[in-house]
Amino acid sequence: MSWHKLRVEQVEQQVNTTIGFGLTEKEAKKRLKQFGKNELSEEKKPSAFKQFFGQFQDFMVLVLLAATAISAVLGEYIDAVAIVAIVIINACLGFIQERRAEKSLEALKKLSAPESLVLRDGEWMKVPSADLVVGDIVKFTSGDRIGADVRLVEAKGLYIEESSLTGESLPVEKQTAPLAPDVSLGDRTNMAFMGTLVTKGSGIGIVVATGMNTAMGQIAHLLQSAQTIMTPLQRKLEQLGKILIVIALALTALVVVLGVWQGHALYDMFLAGVSLAVAAIPEGLPAIVTVVLALGVQRMMKRNAIVRKLPAVETLGCASVICSDKTGTMTENQMTVTHVWVNNRLWTVSGTGYEPKGTFLLNGKQEKIDTSLQQMLLFGALCNHAELKKKGKTYMIAGDPTEGALVVAAAKAGWTKEKIAAEFTIEHEFPFDSTRKMMTIIVKDRSNRRWIVTKGAPDMLLERCRFIYMDGQAKLLRDQERKTVQQTVNMLASQALRTIAIAYRPLSLTEAINDETKAESDLTFIGLQGMIDPPRKEVKQAIAECKKAGIKTVMITGDHILTAKAIAQQLHMLPPNGKVMDGKTLSQLSVDELEDVVEDVYVFARVSPDDKLKIVQALQKRGHIVAMTGDGVNDAPAIKTANIGIAMGITGTDVSKEAASLVLLDDNFATIKAAIEEGRNIYENIRKFIRYLLASNVGEILVMLFAMILALPLPLVPIQILWVNLVTDGLPAMALGLDRAEENVMKRPPRHPKEGVFARGLGWKIVSRGFLIGMVTLIAFLVVHTRHPENLTYAQTVAFATLVLAQLIHVFDCRSERSVFDRNPFENMYLVLAVLSSLLLLLVVIYYPPLQPIFHTMSLPLTDWLLIVGLSSIPTFLLAGSLFTRRRS
């Protein structure tokens, strides 16, 4: 039902109630029983037992469990226990994350008013808001939170703050007249919505929707139905796991068949095949990914970004569009006076936010504040209820943000609260109301001089003025002067500035004023103050850097189209051919129709929660990885549906934070750029250790496979392969995850969301380096085995040492996309220490007598190390050292 288009009498008839009497208690209970409590419902959650065991259905977890069974078959019970521990830890982390992730609806419930003032049986009473029913007559005043969706029947200077629902940066003035059927949610000025806050005035209304039927309930429904997108990393690791298991099974079967065909015992061949399967599956990959992501999270925290959903970290790295809310995200969410027109001169005011520091410029130059400007600023602060407060180092406004802007502007000229209180006394006030659209005071200074001071809407106030202060004196207000004022108002409005006019009239000591009509007549128009919620100063640079990185920034706001466009132009995010679309146009388009034009639109204004969701979905259908930022309840469904949801930590509602994957501690759009840079680096580091692990494993597989094909003895025993996988591979791979970003990480376009793990030459690097690692290991084995055919352990020890050292040298090649020579190896001291630790462990299993029989090793003379080091260096320096490979890699 479009309640906003109906007359009050029609609403009474539709819901079967009367404004003067309300519902009877009996009827209210009947409706409550019939339609249920005024609460937001939740879908039934799966049991904790089901959620926990659901963690074991992940493909890579199944691979890990298979590796556990293989290790147990090989008698390596310590390895089996270690792998099971990894699986259980991952399952517990995932379980805890899921149980905490879906708190959005609980946060929504907190926005519902605990009690409401209701007319029942002709008497006003307080009832729990959960017991409100359609047809109830409710009353509310300043500071109250609206308990249900209400069609207003009375509004006395009523202003309601709806930014959490609509994105509107200022409280909305309410009225009672019917509206056109097609007005957007933010323009339904005769409605009050559940969860919004009364900032000024009072009102009475008829409850027309409760629970899930409210505008807030529609958001709750969107949150329930919104799909959570699998991150690119999750998809790629799942894809990689499937590839590895197929390779492992194929190689196992091949080795077993080859061995049996050549006359080897079936049991021996089975063990050899199983060891190859273990080599093909990097058991530590999921654990290392988790650790690298966790370390990335720690770095992000230092840059004021908290990650709530671990796998989503790297999604930032391929984000191609950032959909950002305007209010509080791109702007300060602090109304600021930027222009003052007085004495026929236009002053600009520097400084943003509520900090009372700034300069007054005339024609771009700082000038001394003249008497007329001082008077103008003083009057704006006198005719005012807002108060500037300081908490620690932060300034804030208690009261209406528009009045707050006037107080701050006056403070920049030296008119502090203490100074004004010491010099002036307010004798009487005629409060603001929506009919007059102005507020008037009678004020007296210490010299007993008296004035009437009025502030209000320029068009209304101008009608009450007989004079205008211009060229240093009060002149008769003629048509020409009225035209000048109107032109100035239009000029300021074209810059999306909200204008407040100020007028005054001197009073004698004995003159008495008893009503506002008399007070607000024969006034002298002194000037205008233009204000705006200004852009954050860091945002322009952040948007420019995102543009260089191939990331488009889109503003999505519930604010007016003129304001949104002006802010976008100030931030240089709206190109010459960029389009601006309003909510009315957007609502007429389907997702498919929007998909056709969405690439050209940079600003969406006056949009509803459904519209935000539609925009995200249209961009995703265009193949974009979408980051959605916001702070309000209205942003939550789109935040949840986006590939990466980003909420504001300071101004953000609990709902938006719970729906988001990332929370910005400083509410700073510029932090998103830092998070994207970190996300890109994390993904590149993951690619580095995938490259390292798989190249190493390919080497292990090929040395075993070639030996079988050539009918040679096994160059490595299963325990040596397990040792390489779980120790030598693990430490350097983890250290790669700590690598700093390469210089060009934010100068290249985002990777394609469908890009495979092996894209950009990674597959070639893995195969080529892996082939060489396998070949040099086999050559080392053949050289020693040919010389000492009677001592197989000797040849296996040399092969084992060659394989390990080749991998440890190769890890430094993995740090760069181009060449091992492109980066200083000592930039990453964690990697240097990891390599030294692995080398030390190698020496221990070779030279420590108690471990020699376990690992089938023996002590090697120094001359053998010359052969080992020489062969181990070939895979890295043969390819990575050539100019040809630099270009290709």
Side-chain angles (χ1 to χ4, degrees):
M1 179 69 71
S2 300
W3 299 104
H4 59 277
K5 71 179 183 181
L6 302 179
R7 299 192 310 276
V8 171
E9 313 87 72
Q10 292 175 304
V11 177
E12 279 185 289
Q13 292 170 6
Q14 288 284 346
V15 299
N16 195 17
T17 191
T18 54
I19 295 171
F21 189 80
L23 298 176
T24 63
E25 193 65 38
K26 183 179 178 181
E27 177 63 20
K29 287 180 179 178
K30 179 183 172 183
R31 294 188 185 189
L32 187 64
K33 187 175 181 181
Q34 183 179 356
F35 299 107
K37 282 192 171 289
N38 177 32
E39 294 176 337
L40 302 179
S41 64
E42 288 188 60
E43 290 181 345
K44 190 177 179 182
K45 292 181 179 178
S47 67
F49 180 83
K50 188 175 180 181
Q51 264 190 315
F52 180 74
F53 281 96
Q55 306 301 316
F56 296 94
Q57 295 172 5
D58 181 78
F59 190 81
M60 285 304 288
V61 171
L62 295 176
V63 171
L64 282 174
L65 292 173
T68 306
I70 291 167
S71 296
V73 168
L74 292 171
E76 299 300 325
Y77 300 112
I78 294 175
D79 298 331
V81 170
I83 296 171
V84 167
I86 290 171
V87 171
I88 292 174
I89 290 169
N90 279 343
C92 290
L93 289 173
F95 170 74
I96 292 167
Q97 191 66 34
E98 280 191 22
R99 296 300 284 184
R100 294 181 61 194
E102 296 302 325
K103 290 185 177 177
S104 302
L105 295 170
E106 293 174 23
L108 273 170
K109 287 179 180 179
K110 291 177 186 175
L111 286 179
S112 300
E115 285 188 326
S116 296
L117 190 61
V118 183
L119 185 65
R120 297 256 176 98
D121 292 315
E123 293 185 8
W124 290 103
M125 63 181 72
K126 284 196 171 183
V127 301
S129 292
D131 292 341
L132 289 179
V133 295
V134 171
D136 267 330
I137 310 299
V138 292
K139 182 189 287 186
F140 31 81
T141 186
S142 181
D144 289 344
R145 199 172 285 281
I146 307 297
D149 282 5
V150 174
R151 171 65 166 88
L152 296 171
V153 300
E154 182 181 295
K156 293 181 177 177
L158 180 62
Y159 282 77
I160 298 180
E161 195 270 302
E162 298 177 341
S163 64
S164 64
L165 188 68
T166 65
E168 179 75 50
S169 57
L170 292 169
V172 178
E173 182 182 0
K174 296 295 183 177
Q175 50 89 36
T176 60
L179 300 168
D182 58 350
V183 296
S184 65
L185 191 72
D187 291 322
R188 294 178 189 175
T189 53
N190 58 7
M191 297 285 294
F193 300 104
M194 178 193 234
T196 58
L197 186 68
V198 179
T199 60
K200 189 189 293 184
S202 63
I204 296 174
I206 304 171
V207 174
V208 293
T210 60
M212 294 299 285
N213 294 321
T214 62
M216 195 73 76
Q218 293 303 307
I219 292 176
H221 177 72
L222 291 173
L223 279 172
Q224 289 177 354
S225 58
Q227 295 293 315
T228 303
I229 304 295
M230 181 181 276
T231 72
L233 179 62
Q234 289 171 319
R235 289 197 298 268
K236 300 303 179 291
L237 289 181
E238 185 177 37
Q239 170 193 348
L240 179 60
K242 290 176 180 176
I243 292 169
L244 295 178
I245 197 69
V246 169
I247 292 172
L249 294 174
L251 288 172
T252 302
L254 179 60
V255 169
V256 171
V257 169
L258 278 174
V260 172
W261 180 63
Q262 291 177 353
H264 288 278
L266 178 62
Y267 178 71
D268 292 340
M269 287 306 96
F270 174 73
L271 288 179
V274 166
S275 67
L276 281 180
V278 173
I281 302 169
E283 302 90 351
L285 181 59
I288 292 172
V289 168
T290 302
V291 170
V292 169
L293 289 174
L295 292 170
V297 167
Q298 294 300 315
R299 288 198 298 270
M300 283 191 178
M301 281 187 69
K302 293 177 182 177
R303 301 178 84 167
N304 290 317
I306 291 180
V307 177
R308 294 189 66 255
K309 298 174 184 177
L310 202 58
V313 172
E314 62 81 39
T315 312
L316 281 166
C318 59
S320 54
V321 174
I322 300 174
C323 293
S324 175
D325 189 40
K326 176 185 72 70
T327 306
T329 308
M330 290 183 161
T331 63
E332 299 276 0
N333 201 17
Q334 297 178 342
M335 290 298 288
T336 305
V337 171
T338 58
H339 292 76
V340 180
W341 184 81
V342 61
N343 197 17
N344 204 20
R345 298 198 294 181
L346 184 65
W347 295 77
T348 56
V349 188
S350 69
T352 57
Y354 294 147
E355 187 171 2
K357 289 182 180 179
T359 54
F360 292 82
L361 309 174
L362 202 58
N363 299 319
K365 296 180 181 178
Q366 186 172 348
E367 297 282 351
K368 185 180 178 181
I369 301 174
D370 61 22
T371 306
S372 58
L373 179 58
Q374 283 278 9
Q375 191 88 327
M376 170 77 165
L377 296 169
L378 169 63
F379 285 163
L382 276 170
C383 191
N384 203 309
H385 287 153
E387 189 177 339
L388 179 64
K389 295 183 175 181
K390 188 176 183 182
K391 188 176 182 181
K393 294 183 178 180
T394 305
Y395 287 88
M396 58 188 68
I397 287 293
D400 183 81
T402 299
E403 291 193 328
L406 300 177
V407 169
V408 173
K412 288 176 181 178
W415 288 112
T416 62
K417 175 187 173 184
E418 293 74 20
K419 185 177 179 181
I420 291 172
E423 296 192 24
F424 299 92
T425 305
I426 307 294
E427 293 184 345
H428 192 72
E429 177 187 327
F430 301 102
F432 179 92
D433 72 43
S434 56
T435 305
R436 291 162 38 242
K437 291 190 176 179
M438 60 187 74
M439 168 187 175
T440 298
I441 59 166
I442 298 174
V443 62
K444 182 173 70 174
D445 69 4
R446 285 192 298 182
S447 304
N448 287 325
R449 291 181 299 175
R450 300 170 75 221
W451 297 272
I452 292 171
V453 179
T454 303
K455 80 168 192 300
D459 54 337
M460 301 291 283
L461 189 54
L462 205 56
E463 293 177 5
R464 309 293 181 95
C465 293
R466 186 180 173 192
F467 305 95
I468 184 169
Y469 190 87
M470 194 172 280
D471 300 327
Q473 58 183 318
K475 295 182 175 180
L476 193 65
L477 182 60
R478 298 169 300 182
D479 290 343
Q480 181 60 42
E481 283 76 22
R482 289 181 189 275
K483 187 177 178 181
T484 300
V485 172
Q486 193 56 54
Q487 286 174 343
T488 306
V489 170
N490 293 341
M491 182 269 293
L492 294 174
S494 69
Q495 299 176 46
L497 296 177
R498 176 187 174 95
T499 50
I500 297 293
I502 295 175
Y504 73 100
R505 173 157 61 92
L507 277 181
S508 68
L509 269 176
T510 56
E511 188 176 355
I513 304 290
N514 299 319
D515 64 85
E516 62 258 28
T517 304
K518 187 176 180 183
E520 294 163 357
S521 61
D522 294 332
L523 298 171
T524 299
F525 190 94
I526 187 170
L528 301 162
Q529 294 199 44
M531 62 190 69
I532 194 170
D533 179 12
R536 292 176 177 272
K537 54 187 176 217
E538 310 91 347
V539 171
K540 185 190 290 188
Q541 179 65 24
I543 289 173
E545 290 185 25
C546 286
K547 189 176 180 181
K548 284 181 184 176
I551 302 165
K552 176 185 177 183
T553 305
V554 177
M555 181 191 292
I556 304 178
T557 178
D559 221 332
H560 290 282
I561 192 166
L562 187 65
T563 306
K565 185 176 180 181
I567 294 292
Q569 287 172 335
Q570 288 180 41
L571 292 172
H572 294 173
M573 63 174 287
L574 187 63
N577 60 341
K579 293 181 180 177
V580 179
M581 184 179 289
D582 63 12
K584 188 174 180 181
T585 305
L586 181 61
S587 63
Q588 295 167 358
L589 301 177
S590 67
V591 173
D592 290 337
E593 289 170 332
L594 179 59
E595 186 187 343
D596 294 334
V597 298
V598 74
E599 294 283 6
D600 299 323
V601 183
Y602 288 78
V603 178
F604 293 92
R606 293 311 258 175
V607 296
S608 70
D610 300 280
D611 294 331
K612 294 188 177 192
L613 197 56
K614 187 192 291 186
I615 295 162
V616 170
Q617 290 169 338
L619 286 165
Q620 286 175 334
K621 289 187 78 173
R622 294 285 298 181
H624 287 290
I625 294 293
V626 182
M628 170 70 192
T629 76
D631 58 358
V633 174
N634 60 315
D635 301 317
I639 283 174
K640 185 177 178 183
T641 302
N643 302 84
I644 180 84
I646 307 171
M648 302 297 116
I650 299 172
T651 59
T653 60
D654 288 343
V655 182
S656 63
K657 291 175 191 175
E658 291 295 335
S661 304
L662 190 76
V663 178
L664 305 183
L665 289 178
D666 55 1
D667 285 16
N668 195 334
F669 184 93
T671 304
I672 299 170
K673 192 273 299 183
I676 287 174
E677 183 178 356
E678 198 64 61
R680 286 188 175 192
N681 187 41
I682 286 169
Y683 184 78
E684 290 307 311
N685 286 349
I686 289 171
R687 274 172 52 91
K688 288 173 188 177
F689 66 70
I690 287 175
R691 170 183 169 183
Y692 171 66
L693 286 175
L694 295 192
S696 300
N697 289 354
V698 166
E700 295 162 25
I701 292 166
L702 292 183
V703 71
M704 298 289 284
L705 186 60
F706 291 157
M708 295 306 301
I709 292 172
L710 297 172
L712 295 171
L714 289 177
L716 299 168
V717 295
I719 188 63
Q720 290 172 342
I721 294 173
L722 285 173
W723 187 91
V724 170
N725 280 334
L726 295 174
V727 181
T728 310
D729 286 0
L731 289 174
M734 199 170 293
L736 276 175
L738 296 168
D739 223 7
R740 287 190 296 179
E742 293 189 66
E743 290 180 0
N744 64 342
V745 72
M746 283 299 283
K747 294 178 183 175
R748 54 192 182 208
R751 68 182 185 278
H752 195 277
K754 293 183 180 178
E755 176 184 292
V757 175
F758 303 112
R760 290 183 274 145
L762 188 64
W764 158 252
K765 291 169 186 170
I766 289 169
V767 172
S768 61
R769 274 60 159 190
F771 175 80
L772 287 176
I773 289 170
M775 287 304 297
V776 297
T777 303
L778 189 61
I779 290 168
F781 175 77
L782 282 170
V783 167
V784 178
H785 184 60
T786 303
R787 280 197 240 147
H788 306 279
E790 77 291 346
N791 194 345
L792 181 59
T793 301
Y794 183 16
Q796 287 174 335
T797 303
V798 171
F800 177 49
T802 304
L803 176 67
V804 171
L805 201 59
Q807 292 181 13
L808 294 181
I809 295 172
H810 170 245
V811 73
F812 291 101
D813 187 25
C814 296
R815 294 186 62 231
S816 173
E817 287 277 318
R818 295 173 295 277
S819 167
V820 69
F821 300 114
D822 276 9
R823 303 193 72 180
N824 182 348
F826 296 101
E827 279 179 354
N828 187 344
M829 287 306 297
Y830 295 105
L831 182 59
V832 173
L833 292 173
V835 168
L836 291 175
S837 300
S838 296
L839 189 58
L840 180 62
L841 289 170
L842 173 65
L843 296 175
V844 168
V845 297
I846 289 176
Y847 289 102
Y848 186 52
L851 294 179
Q852 288 176 342
I854 298 173
F855 287 95
H856 301 271
T857 58
M858 59 176 287
S859 298
L860 298 176
L862 184 61
T863 51
D864 284 337
W865 284 102
L866 296 175
L867 172 69
I868 292 166
V869 172
L871 288 172
S872 300
S873 303
I874 291 172
T876 295
F877 295 103
L878 179 66
L879 290 180
S882 72
L883 291 175
F884 168 76
T885 308
R886 280 201 197 195
R887 289 191 211 102
R888 185 166 183 177
S889 299

